[in-house]
Amino acid sequence: MDIKVLKEITKIMKDNDLIEVEVEAKDLKIKLRKAAACAPVPALVQAVAAAAAPVAAPALAAAPAAPTKNADEANWKQITSPIPGTVYLKPNPDAANFVAEGTAVDAAKVVCLIEAMKVFNEIKPDAGITGQIKRICVKDGQAVEYGTVLFLVG
Amino acid sequence: MDIKVLKEITKIMKDNDLIEVEVEAKDLKIKLRKAAACAPVPALVQAVAAAAAPVAAPALAAAPAAPTKNADEANWKQITSPIPGTVYLKPNPDAANFVAEGTAVDAAKVVCLIEAMKVFNEIKPDAGITGQIKRICVKDGQAVEYGTVLFLVG
Amino acid sequence: MFKRILIANRGEIAVRILKTCRRMGIETCVVHSTADKETLAVKLADVAICIGPGPAKGSYLNINNIIAAAELADVDAIHPGFGFLSENSHFAQVVRDCQIEFIGPLSESMEALGNKAKAKTLANKAGVPCVPGSTGPVSGQDEAIKIAREIGYPVLIKATAGGGGRGMRVAHNDASLVSGLIQAQREAEAAFGNADCIIEAFVQRARHIEIQIIGDKHGNVVSLGERDCSTQRRHQKLVEESPSPVITPEIRKNMGADAVKLAKAAGYYNAGTVEFIYDLERKKYFFLEMNTRIQVEHPVTEMVNDLDLIALMIKVAAGEPLPFKQEDIKPKGHAIEVRINAEDWQNNFSPAPGKISMYVAPSGKGIRVDSHCYAGYTIPPHYDSMIAKLIVHGTDRADALRLLEQALSEYYLEGVKTTIGFHQRLIRDPRFVNNEVTTKWVDDVFMKQ
Amino acid sequence: MFKRILIANRGEIAVRILKTCRRMGIETCVVHSTADKETLAVKLADVAICIGPGPAKGSYLNINNIIAAAELADVDAIHPGFGFLSENSHFAQVVRDCQIEFIGPLSESMEALGNKAKAKTLANKAGVPCVPGSTGPVSGQDEAIKIAREIGYPVLIKATAGGGGRGMRVAHNDASLVSGLIQAQREAEAAFGNADCIIEAFVQRARHIEIQIIGDKHGNVVSLGERDCSTQRRHQKLVEESPSPVITPEIRKNMGADAVKLAKAAGYYNAGTVEFIYDLERKKYFFLEMNTRIQVEHPVTEMVNDLDLIALMIKVAAGEPLPFKQEDIKPKGHAIEVRINAEDWQNNFSPAPGKISMYVAPSGKGIRVDSHCYAGYTIPPHYDSMIAKLIVHGTDRADALRLLEQALSEYYLEGVKTTIGFHQRLIRDPRFVNNEVTTKWVDDVFMKQ
């Protein structure tokens, strides 16, 4: 084995804030561990396969929403509540939801209503958020605050 | 395996703040662990390289004494003060010091006096501390407290 | 009594209000920005609702979102604290229009007294002595020069919508008056969207003395005595104390009566502060302005009167009559407050936000600390730099100063620069100890030595 | 007055003593073990000296090292706090032999009153009522049975050197007396190196009431009123209050007079506490023992009397006469102290040392917290588990309980388990509120429900 391999791995560690790396070649076993900010290091171990390819840092979802499940999710965008209020997913009790998982959305599409001060505010994705609804993060009638994640769009 | 490899690995460890390295050659097994930033690193982890001899753990000097300078120092033992008081390095003002750097010491050798409660307490190394005085960490007449490092012995 | 109160503020005053609510058995809803998720009030609140991003414009000044939170949390009343929307009469009106009680005066009273020129007119009518000068905004340079010559130089140029020293200039002659007026107007336009300025006689050696008043909805208004806030830096109060060590009992009594007179003239209720300037040469006081809200330094008044001003505000807002009459108010001892800010006082008091790594506040008899900080808390850069208010209450001023010196020496805080060192130096200065301070002293003398 | 005092203790009492010293302008030297390098007193002290390893035997009980530190720091006096060497008459004598003032009573007084059998003899002589029973250690089973039959079962077996509930047994008949005596002697021998036991009548429904006294070197001894510490778990005090809600003014007066009588009989000076058991059935009190030092619960007495007991201890140690007479002592209001410990109270109060990650103590009028803890502080496993003493002072007991409930709800502490939840539940229990508690109630009723 060449010492250079070790050096390259330590560089990857440094660049990705990893605190643990395990590599086992010939049919490959890789184990990486990242530093938890300050907390008692939770075992967030991600097994990645692929020989020499650089390892993507497992981005933590910023929001206290649902935990991310796969690599795709890291790229999903959030539609958040601009105001504290009550979420309504349908225009009226008897109607269908504005959107479902898979619905295509853009800045023109009403995705839900948030009632605040007796006013039903139509919520649309911010400019730049286009794609399909990947997940609905709130329930009909749920109270939300500023910044609560309503939908994930991918 | 060449000892140089070991040296290079320990250098990589030091440069990258690693606390654990495992390398298994011939078809490669590598394991690296970095110190978690905030957690009070509990296990004094021992670095092991391939099939070769174990590498000494980079022991942290427990005392707030002088910073260690070279690998040898990690093995030096401390003679500490058992009592708050005033250190005297010589038996009387006109005499020579009890010990100098290089003096051989063992549990029978008086290395200094600590005056406490008008009594001059003869300080000798604890049993098991033998070797040469490597460094004198206090000055004649200095006030010390319990645990103050007086001498390093190697 | 209210069942649940929304606290539309942050920092130590949010904690202060929350504690009184809890003591009264009232639930609390604390609204906060995304930058304040870790503030103490959020942790202590019965309900905490995020209302917007860090910059105050989107959160603590966002009327829509605050009202939305109030309806979501189903509160009976809103306490605005100080700063932010506390003196916004429109906000008070919106709150009341939503059938929620605004814990403060009527919007009309806020409008009548919150504007300096209007307030001065009202004070003149009510017979409260004002600094001689223009009775309203000056129309231009010519009128300014005419008035300045009448009252004699030096004169002070002040923005009617101003506060905190912005939009203020001193002029010593016609030339500096003209240039000062232009600058003040420009600054006022930028800061408050209103360029109106008034002109008045400038008091050379002044003490800043203010009267705390409280009124109920039944027409009762009582003065709770004065606070002397003369130790200022660039018009920002640094130290507040009560009683004032420089005025006579007679002046104290007249000031209090005049403050009550003014409040009554405006149909005022709830807590308010009537600020006066006291001219050390003429030994006369003049009405400066009125703050239609609770003030940072209110604990000074609480300590000498042994009462809870926030509780009184809530009670009178709920319609209760004041539980005392003017003759019941008998302040005891001497209280001093200093503001502990996260500022590098040796470097022009520049703000020093950051993470507090170690925090132990002083405690003990006669020592009070109002704060929202704790070890591990990061002071966000969006808001003011206040860490805590340290208030001491002694038997007399010397005793209070001893207590203050001790409390400052016991304040154990690491991680950010603070003004503790400034206060330690200040209270050992013989001129401060001997009450030789004027409102300009810190700027002109103390900081230059 | 002393120039520098050595504080031979740790935890909150070290901070408590330090603050009073600072208030009095006296420098402080804090000695500490290697496990206490991060404690607050070390950070606040003028001089801090490490005297030994974590286990108390090598540090806080190491007389040699403490005296060495005292000479190194050149102190005038040593305050022993409570626990550790505070009741060690040998230590007091060594200190005085070194020309350093021991802030406490004479060694002779400590010896006369620190031993329970001796103290009881002295009390009997002085005419202070004692629980009927043996006047000294029982020689064996036969004498024990004879005495027990004379005074009637149930009887209590107590180690003369005991404390904190160790070496204590209740016997309801001859058989349980014999086995209990053996157990108590064995326990006492192991814990205190002294197997001597006395036997006395067992009071079924008891309140623990104690009198705080203070004496000067001029023969004056004054009672500062009582503390009721009946809420105990396994003989460990949990809550202390003053005044006692169950005794009459007459009993209070007699208890105080008897406490003073006993102290004078022993030539006692400085602070001390005379503990009584109050029999709720007979409505009589009996002398239990005397603690010849400051106690954990002393703040309760400070609050109702508006004085600083630590300052008084220092002053009388320096030779000053007491600044008041018995008739000047007029306690006001009602004070309650609860001990906040790092214990898992739902799991048999097992100690729960560890790191405090978040710490904000309650504050406000009538609320006092004595503590050495802060966020980031790790409670070492070597010593007791006390985090803080929370003391409230209200106008009456109901007011104090309201304040206490609020203060407990404002106590914001994360990282370790605490007894806050226990106290919250306790003070809502109607039997506690209505003063139906006896010294056994927590063990026999409250913890079993």
Side-chain angles (χ1 to χ4, degrees):
Chain A
M1 188 184 109
D2 193 349
I3 201 76
K4 277 187 197 161
V5 177
L6 221 53
K7 286 191 180 163
E8 280 198 59
I9 292 175
T10 54
K11 185 174 183 315
I12 290 170
M13 283 185 82
K14 184 182 273 179
D15 292 349
N16 293 284
D17 267 342
L18 302 180
I19 59 163
E20 198 173 344
V21 173
E22 230 177 0
V23 182
E24 237 176 339
K26 273 318 150 196
D27 284 350
L28 201 61
K29 176 181 170 184
I30 295 180
K31 185 176 174 183
L32 305 173
R33 182 122 68 122
K34 197 165 171 151
C38 246
V41 188
L44 222 194
V45 182
Q46 205 150 342
V48 181
V55 180
L60 285 175
T68 31
K69 274 178 190 158
N70 58 54
D72 272 359
E73 296 200 18
N75 295 319
W76 290 354
K77 288 179 176 159
Q78 302 171 339
I79 302 176
T80 61
S81 175
I83 191 169
T86 306
V87 173
Y88 293 102
L89 295 175
K90 39 183 101 172
N92 65 65
D94 303 322
N97 282 3
F98 288 105
V99 294
E101 290 193 7
T103 305
V105 296
D106 59 22
K109 173 73 179 169
V110 174
V111 289
C112 67
L113 302 176
I114 293 185
E115 183 199 359
M117 295 180 286
K118 275 93 190 167
V119 172
F120 289 85
N121 301 276
E122 293 187 340
I123 305 301
K124 298 171 185 174
D126 284 343
I129 298 186
T130 56
Q132 292 184 336
I133 295 288
K134 289 293 186 183
R135 189 177 301 151
I136 300 172
C137 306
V138 286
K139 287 183 183 157
D140 196 58
Q142 179 182 328
V144 295
E145 59 184 352
Y146 172 88
T148 302
V149 177
L150 307 170
F151 303 93
L152 292 175
V153 176
Chain B
M1 192 180 115
D2 194 350
I3 198 73
K4 277 187 198 162
V5 176
L6 220 54
K7 284 191 181 161
E8 280 200 63
I9 291 175
T10 51
K11 185 173 183 314
I12 289 170
M13 283 188 79
K14 184 181 273 178
D15 292 349
N16 292 283
D17 267 343
L18 301 180
I19 57 165
E20 197 174 344
V21 173
E22 231 178 359
V23 181
E24 236 176 339
K26 271 319 146 195
D27 285 350
L28 196 66
K29 176 177 172 184
I30 296 177
K31 186 175 174 181
L32 305 173
R33 183 121 67 118
K34 204 167 171 154
C38 286
V41 186
L44 260 186
V45 184
Q46 206 147 339
V48 182
V55 177
L60 285 176
T68 30
K69 273 179 191 158
N70 58 53
D72 273 356
E73 296 199 16
N75 293 321
W76 291 353
K77 289 178 176 162
Q78 303 171 339
I79 301 176
T80 61
S81 173
I83 191 168
T86 306
V87 173
Y88 292 102
L89 295 175
K90 40 184 102 172
N92 63 66
D94 304 322
N97 281 3
F98 288 104
V99 294
E101 291 192 7
T103 306
V105 297
D106 58 24
K109 173 74 178 168
V110 174
V111 291
C112 67
L113 303 176
I114 293 186
E115 183 200 358
M117 295 180 286
K118 275 89 190 170
V119 172
F120 289 85
N121 301 276
E122 292 188 340
I123 305 300
K124 298 171 184 172
D126 285 341
I129 299 186
T130 56
Q132 292 185 337
I133 294 288
K134 290 295 186 181
R135 191 177 299 152
I136 299 171
C137 305
V138 286
K139 287 182 184 156
D140 196 56
Q142 179 182 327
V144 295
E145 58 184 350
Y146 172 89
T148 302
V149 177
L150 308 170
F151 302 93
L152 292 176
V153 177
Chain C
M1 184 43 66
F2 308 120
K3 199 175 163 300
R4 185 182 289 173
I5 287 176
L6 183 142
I7 300 168
N9 216 297
R10 62 173 303 283
E12 65 81 22
I13 192 64
V15 176
R16 166 75 192 82
I17 297 166
L18 183 144
K19 287 193 174 187
T20 283
C21 289
R22 186 165 284 181
R23 205 161 289 204
M24 295 174 77
I26 299 168
E27 292 177 2
T28 51
C29 169
V30 167
V31 295
H32 63 92
S33 75
T34 52
D36 271 341
K37 281 189 196 301
E38 294 302 316
T39 198
L40 189 55
V42 169
K43 290 175 184 283
L44 294 174
D46 294 305
V47 182
I49 298 178
C50 183
I51 51 164
K57 200 182 167 210
S59 47
Y60 299 108
L61 294 172
N62 186 334
I63 295 181
N64 270 5
N65 284 15
I66 292 171
I67 299 289
E71 301 210 332
L72 198 64
D74 195 19
V75 304
D76 308 305
I78 293 181
H79 197 302
F82 48 68
F84 297 127
L85 295 170
S86 62
E87 293 188 284
N88 185 314
S89 60
H90 169 63
F91 176 62
Q93 196 52 54
V94 170
V95 170
R96 292 202 173 95
D97 288 347
C98 293
Q99 312 304 321
I100 296 171
E101 182 61 23
F102 178 83
I103 301 173
L106 283 171
S107 294
E108 293 75 12
S109 311
M110 290 166 82
E111 277 163 22
L113 292 166
N115 176 294
K116 285 184 195 178
K118 284 190 194 171
K120 204 173 167 185
T121 309
L122 196 64
N124 269 321
K125 265 193 213 158
V128 177
C130 294
V131 178
S134 66
T135 47
V138 291
S139 59
Q141 295 178 9
D142 292 345
E143 191 193 348
I145 291 173
K146 180 169 167 282
I147 293 169
R149 287 182 180 167
E150 271 172 26
I151 59 183
Y153 285 104
V155 296
L156 187 66
I157 308 159
K158 279 167 63 182
T160 58
R166 284 178 298 183
M168 275 185 157
R169 287 287 182 291
V170 176
H172 292 83
N173 50 51
D174 289 359
S176 64
L177 175 66
V178 170
S179 67
L181 184 62
I182 292 166
Q183 286 168 21
Q185 285 173 330
R186 199 175 293 154
E187 212 170 302
E189 175 66 40
F192 319 109
N194 178 352
D196 286 351
C197 286
I198 58 173
I199 286 180
E200 57 190 32
F202 176 62
V203 179
Q204 284 279 19
R205 293 188 63 240
R207 299 280 290 199
H208 173 112
I209 302 176
E210 60 192 28
I211 300 284
Q212 174 72 53
I213 60 118
I214 179 105
D216 62 24
K217 292 182 176 177
H218 310 280
N220 305 302
V221 181
V222 169
S223 153
L224 300 174
E226 84 280 12
R227 292 184 292 260
D228 190 323
C229 319
S230 302
T231 309
Q232 305 182 349
R233 179 184 165 271
R234 301 193 180 170
H235 299 281
Q236 300 285 349
K237 295 165 187 168
L238 296 167
V239 179
E240 300 101 353
E241 57 187 302
S242 184
S244 166
V246 302
I247 59 171
T248 62
E250 194 194 348
I251 286 178
R252 176 173 294 121
K253 200 180 158 191
N254 292 340
M255 259 185 169
D258 277 341
V260 169
K261 214 190 287 176
L262 179 66
K264 284 192 171 170
Y268 196 90
Y269 59 67
N270 218 302
T273 299
V274 184
E275 297 192 332
F276 295 96
I277 190 169
Y278 178 71
D279 189 323
L280 285 163
E281 311 295 338
R282 294 172 219 162
K283 301 199 186 306
K284 279 187 178 169
Y285 61 88
F286 306 115
F287 170 68
L288 261 187
E289 61 174 315
M290 178 154 180
N291 291 323
T292 60
R293 51 164 169 89
I294 193 72
Q295 279 185 304
V296 174
E297 59 269 29
H298 75 275
V300 163
T301 299
E302 293 186 325
M303 297 298 267
V304 294
N305 287 297
D306 194 15
L307 51 75
D308 182 334
L309 266 169
I310 301 292
L312 282 172
M313 290 179 78
I314 293 171
K315 284 176 185 169
V316 299
E320 292 186 18
L322 285 179
F324 44 67
K325 294 195 186 325
Q326 188 63 59
E327 55 266 33
D328 301 323
I329 303 302
K330 288 173 183 131
K332 279 189 193 71
H334 195 97
I336 307 178
E337 172 182 293
V338 297
R339 303 187 189 190
I340 313 287
N341 294 337
E343 290 171 1
D344 184 359
W345 71 273
Q346 287 167 309
N347 184 18
N348 217 16
F349 287 79
S350 57
K355 185 170 183 173
I356 298 175
S357 56
M358 166 88 187
Y359 184 86
V360 183
S363 65
K365 189 171 144 53
I367 296 173
R368 166 177 167 182
V369 176
D370 284 14
S371 176
H372 60 299
C373 292
Y374 53 86
Y377 176 69
T378 298
I379 301 165
H382 306 285
Y383 317 107
D384 68 58
S385 55
M386 194 186 289
I387 293 172
K389 303 186 300 203
L390 167 60
I391 310 106
V392 295
H393 184 214
T395 51
D396 54 25
R397 191 167 189 267
D399 186 45
L401 283 174
R402 270 194 302 273
L403 261 176
L404 184 55
E405 180 152 10
Q406 166 168 18
L408 287 167
S409 78
E410 278 176 19
Y411 224 118
Y412 203 91
L413 198 152
E414 284 174 4
V416 296
K417 297 200 175 198
T418 77
T419 52
I420 290 173
F422 169 84
H423 290 298
Q424 287 181 313
R425 203 176 125 201
L426 175 77
I427 64 171
R428 281 182 209 127
D429 191 295
R431 288 156 296 185
F432 178 82
V433 173
N434 297 327
N435 300 312
E436 292 163 17
V437 168
T438 69
T439 51
K440 300 290 169 72
W441 178 75
V442 171
D443 289 318
D444 295 350
V445 182
F446 184 76
M447 288 308 293
K448 288 186 177 158
Q449 66 201 2
Chain D
M1 183 44 65
F2 308 120
K3 200 176 163 297
R4 185 182 290 174
I5 287 176
L6 183 143
I7 300 168
N9 216 298
R10 62 174 303 282
E12 65 81 22
I13 192 65
V15 177
R16 166 74 192 84
I17 297 166
L18 184 145
K19 288 192 174 187
T20 284
C21 289
R22 187 164 283 181
R23 204 162 289 204
M24 295 173 77
I26 299 168
E27 293 176 0
T28 52
C29 168
V30 168
V31 295
H32 62 92
S33 74
T34 52
D36 271 340
K37 282 190 194 300
E38 293 302 317
T39 199
L40 189 55
V42 169
K43 290 176 184 282
L44 294 174
D46 295 305
V47 182
I49 299 179
C50 184
I51 50 163
K57 199 182 165 209
S59 47
Y60 299 110
L61 294 173
N62 186 335
I63 295 181
N64 270 5
N65 285 14
I66 292 171
I67 299 289
E71 302 209 332
L72 199 64
D74 196 17
V75 303
D76 308 304
I78 293 182
H79 198 302
F82 47 68
F84 298 127
L85 295 170
S86 61
E87 293 187 283
N88 185 315
S89 59
H90 169 63
F91 177 61
Q93 196 52 54
V94 171
V95 171
R96 291 201 173 95
D97 288 347
C98 294
Q99 312 304 321
I100 298 171
E101 182 61 22
F102 177 83
I103 301 173
L106 284 171
S107 293
E108 292 76 13
S109 312
M110 290 166 83
E111 277 163 22
L113 292 167
N115 175 291
K116 285 184 193 177
K118 282 190 194 169
K120 205 172 165 185
T121 309
L122 195 64
N124 270 321
K125 265 193 214 160
V128 176
C130 294
V131 177
S134 66
T135 46
V138 291
S139 59
Q141 295 178 11
D142 293 344
E143 191 194 347
I145 290 174
K146 182 169 165 281
I147 293 169
R149 286 182 182 169
E150 270 172 28
I151 59 181
Y153 285 103
V155 297
L156 187 66
I157 309 159
K158 280 167 61 181
T160 58
R166 285 176 298 181
M168 275 186 156
R169 288 286 182 290
V170 175
H172 291 83
N173 49 50
D174 289 359
S176 64
L177 174 66
V178 170
S179 66
L181 183 63
I182 292 166
Q183 288 167 22
Q185 285 173 330
R186 200 175 292 153
E187 211 171 303
E189 175 67 40
F192 317 111
N194 178 353
D196 287 350
C197 285
I198 57 171
I199 286 181
E200 58 190 31
F202 176 63
V203 179
Q204 283 280 19
R205 294 188 61 240
R207 300 281 288 200
H208 174 112
I209 302 175
E210 59 192 29
I211 300 285
Q212 174 72 53
I213 60 119
I214 179 105
D216 61 25
K217 293 182 177 175
H218 310 280
N220 304 303
V221 182
V222 168
S223 153
L224 299 174
E226 83 280 11
R227 293 185 290 260
D228 190 323
C229 318
S230 303
T231 309
Q232 306 182 348
R233 178 185 165 271
R234 302 192 180 172
H235 300 279
Q236 300 285 352
K237 295 164 186 168
L238 296 166
V239 179
E240 300 100 355
E241 56 188 301
S242 185
S244 166
V246 302
I247 59 172
T248 62
E250 195 195 347
I251 286 178
R252 176 173 294 121
K253 200 180 159 193
N254 292 342
M255 258 184 171
D258 278 341
V260 169
K261 216 190 287 178
L262 178 67
K264 285 192 171 171
Y268 196 91
Y269 60 67
N270 219 302
T273 298
V274 183
E275 297 193 332
F276 294 97
I277 190 168
Y278 179 70
D279 189 324
L280 285 163
E281 310 297 337
R282 294 172 220 162
K283 302 200 184 305
K284 280 187 177 169
Y285 61 88
F286 306 115
F287 169 67
L288 263 187
E289 61 174 317
M290 178 153 180
N291 291 323
T292 59
R293 52 166 168 86
I294 193 73
Q295 280 186 302
V296 175
E297 58 269 29
H298 75 275
V300 163
T301 299
E302 293 186 325
M303 298 299 267
V304 294
N305 286 298
D306 195 15
L307 50 75
D308 183 335
L309 266 169
I310 302 292
L312 281 171
M313 289 179 79
I314 294 170
K315 284 177 185 168
V316 299
E320 292 187 17
L322 286 179
F324 44 67
K325 295 195 186 326
Q326 188 62 60
E327 57 265 32
D328 300 324
I329 303 303
K330 289 173 184 132
K332 280 190 191 70
H334 195 99
I336 307 179
E337 171 182 296
V338 297
R339 303 188 188 189
I340 314 286
N341 294 337
E343 290 170 0
D344 184 358
W345 70 275
Q346 287 168 311
N347 184 18
N348 216 16
F349 286 80
S350 57
K355 185 169 182 172
I356 298 174
S357 55
M358 166 88 187
Y359 184 86
V360 183
S363 65
K365 190 172 143 50
I367 295 174
R368 166 176 168 184
V369 177
D370 283 15
S371 177
H372 60 299
C373 291
Y374 52 86
Y377 176 68
T378 299
I379 301 165
H382 306 286
Y383 316 106
D384 68 59
S385 54
M386 194 186 289
I387 293 172
K389 303 185 301 201
L390 168 61
I391 309 106
V392 296
H393 186 213
T395 51
D396 54 25
R397 191 167 190 267
D399 186 45
L401 283 174
R402 269 194 302 274
L403 261 176
L404 184 54
E405 179 153 10
Q406 166 168 19
L408 286 168
S409 79
E410 276 176 19
Y411 224 118
Y412 203 91
L413 198 151
E414 284 173 5
V416 296
K417 297 201 173 195
T418 76
T419 51
I420 290 173
F422 169 83
H423 291 299
Q424 287 180 313
R425 202 177 126 202
L426 175 77
I427 65 171
R428 282 182 209 127
D429 191 296
R431 287 157 297 185
F432 178 81
V433 173
N434 297 326
N435 301 312
E436 294 163 16
V437 168
T438 69
T439 51
K440 300 291 168 75
W441 177 76
V442 171
D443 289 318
D444 295 349
V445 183
F446 184 75
M447 287 309 292
K448 288 187 177 158
Q449 66 201 0

